[in-house]
Amino acid sequence: QKPTVVITGASSGLGLNAANSMAQSGDWHVVMACRDFAKAEKEARKLGMPKGSYTVMHLDLASLESVRQFVQNFKNSGRRLDALVCNAAVYLPTAKEPTFTADGFELSVGTNHLGHFLLANLLLEDLQKAPTNNPAGAPRCIIVGSITGNTNTVAGNVPPKADLGDLRGLRTGLDGRNASMIDGGEFDGAKAYKDSKVCNMLTMRQMHQRFHDSTGVTFASLYPGCIAETGLFRNHIGLFRTLFPPFQKYITKGYVSEVEAGRRLAQVVSDPSLNKSGVYWSWDNEKSSLWFDQVDGALENNVSKEVSDDAKGARLWDASLKLVGLE
Ligand code: NDP
């Protein structure tokens, strides 16, 4: 059996392009874990992903029951698990009111963080059991981060800034009765997304500290660059969607194409030289061409003050365990 990578949200943008890159390599079988089966299948065919190189499996991260069902279906499939990529996300910057997952959590944090938190915990034992003939060297769990959740950068300081505060909203269930934001503040869709990405990066660091030595699994996060044309911005206003790609291309120079971003993610999953655990990978766009897709060397980036706060990471871990029913 070929090494298997599970990629969530592989029906669009970064996840789809990483899935394509890994499937085309011939070294990997890709499980596309998606909420829209038909869309994933259509997109895979459109990109010419070889038949037999991928399997689409249903996963809706906005439902803990669906996450558990996915894990069961995956285990029943008898596939080995060499890499898990927690990539899917929703971004609701123009939402005036919070919306909620099937379990009643605010949708961005519920999907981007809590759904993935349960998934990664439930699949850890399968990663640990992966055979050793893996081209990456060791099993990996990659949780996609973001510069927007990284307040030690210019982009990460664009308001509203990520800030989990004392986690009082999360601890009271994030269900809109007491709070729909992790810090207990007023709902703000853009901030909820950024908070969720901070949770993703804190989770990666917690998993590294808790499980790397005992399981041998490599945990990492990355910021692949600003992929200004993905579906992530589908809920933004039209003018933003028109101006954002050229702004990122010519002003911030943070722009990266979907294809290149997909290759970067695939590199973090499979490149034997990127086997260090606990790392947040980034690329220096200034040194790469905006016009030709090039894979530059990945750099170990620094995380923001909040993401490096391990005590907060541990409190997030405990609160998340309770909410997803693992405690
Ligand atoms: P896209 O919107 O193109 O892709 C998001 C994917 O997540 C889609 O496949 C979507 O499914 C899936 N998804 C959303 N909700 C759920 C759910 N409930 N269950 C299962 N899947 C779901 O965005 P990107 O490719 O840009 O984003 C991918 C990752 O990259 C995210 O983690 C994002 O935070 C990160 N990122 C993006 C950047 C950018 O500039 N775009 C920059 C930095 C990080 P469907 O196709 O059905 O909608």
Side-chain angles (χ1 to χ4, degrees):
Q1 218 184 57
K2 272 190 188 168
T4 300
V5 55
V6 169
I7 306 179
T8 69
S11 51
S12 173
L14 178 61
L16 173 64
N17 282 278
N20 185 39
S21 175
M22 298 200 69
Q24 304 280 1
S25 76
D27 295 332
W28 292 82
H29 185 82
V30 182
V31 172
M32 301 169 75
C34 298
R35 62 177 169 180
D36 185 339
F37 192 97
K39 179 180 176 186
E41 191 59 52
K42 191 171 117 213
E43 296 297 329
R45 286 203 196 142
K46 212 157 58 182
L47 289 184
M49 284 170 63
K51 222 171 175 249
S53 67
Y54 67 93
T55 308
V56 181
M57 286 178 67
H58 184 260
L59 168 65
D60 185 349
L61 289 156
S63 156
L64 298 180
E65 181 51 37
S66 174
V67 173
R68 290 185 181 280
Q69 193 62 56
F70 170 83
V71 169
Q72 201 49 55
N73 291 343
F74 180 80
K75 287 179 190 283
N76 292 346
S77 76
R79 288 210 164 274
R80 55 188 271 181
L81 181 64
D82 302 81
L84 169 66
V85 180
C86 298
N87 160 77
V90 284
Y91 174 49
L92 308 161
T94 57
K96 300 269 180 289
E97 298 290 334
T99 43
F100 299 93
T101 66
D103 307 277
F105 308 130
E106 186 282 318
L107 192 65
S108 336
V109 174
T111 305
N112 308 355
H113 167 56
L114 292 169
H116 280 133
F117 182 86
L118 178 61
L119 181 71
N121 273 287
L122 294 180
L123 285 177
L124 187 57
E125 66 165 342
D126 297 72
L127 280 172
Q128 190 180 353
K129 283 192 308 217
T132 48
N133 63 335
N134 166 355
R140 294 189 192 175
C141 175
I142 309 300
I143 306 180
V144 177
S146 175
I147 200 167
T148 57
N150 203 20
T151 49
N152 58 346
T153 61
V154 176
N157 276 300
V158 175
K161 285 200 272 185
D163 181 2
L164 308 188
D166 61 4
L167 305 178
R168 76 178 63 171
L170 190 72
R171 283 200 306 262
T172 56
L174 211 67
D175 58 6
R177 276 179 299 183
N178 294 303
S180 53
M181 298 292 288
I182 293 178
D183 64 1
E186 283 284 291
F187 175 72
D188 179 325
K191 180 173 181 297
Y193 168 80
K194 294 178 185 186
D195 288 351
S196 75
K197 299 313 289 181
V198 167
C199 292
N200 286 152
M201 291 158 77
L202 284 169
T203 300
M204 178 282 285
R205 286 169 60 93
Q206 284 296 308
M207 292 192 92
H208 163 69
Q209 288 164 19
R210 289 164 191 263
F211 306 124
H212 174 63
D213 286 347
S214 57
T215 63
V217 175
T218 293
F219 300 92
S221 186
L222 75 154
Y223 172 64
C226 181
I227 332 160
E229 283 134 354
T230 69
L232 196 68
F233 305 103
R234 71 188 93 179
N235 294 309
H236 226 301
I237 54 171
L239 187 65
F240 176 90
R241 279 186 273 125
T242 309
L243 295 180
F244 194 52
F247 175 74
Q248 290 294 345
K249 243 181 213 171
Y250 305 115
I251 312 291
T252 70
K253 304 245 185 343
Y255 174 87
V256 64
S257 71
E258 290 187 328
V259 172
E260 169 65 9
R263 273 209 293 255
R264 289 177 176 181
L265 175 51
Q267 186 190 359
V268 168
V269 177
S270 59
D271 186 335
S273 67
L274 303 189
N275 207 12
K276 189 164 167 192
S277 189
V279 172
Y280 167 51
W281 299 106
S282 298
W283 286 258
D284 186 349
N285 268 1
E286 291 288 321
K287 289 197 192 129
S288 72
S289 162
L290 293 175
W291 307 109
F292 304 99
D293 288 327
Q294 291 177 350
V295 175
D296 273 338
L299 312 163
E300 277 183 46
N301 204 344
N302 296 320
V303 294
S304 68
K305 194 158 165 270
E306 187 165 39
V307 174
S308 63
D309 184 342
D310 294 332
K312 190 177 267 195
R315 290 201 302 277
L316 173 73
W317 184 267
D318 292 342
S320 304
L321 277 181
K322 284 200 184 92
L323 291 181
V324 303
L326 286 179
E327 200 192 76

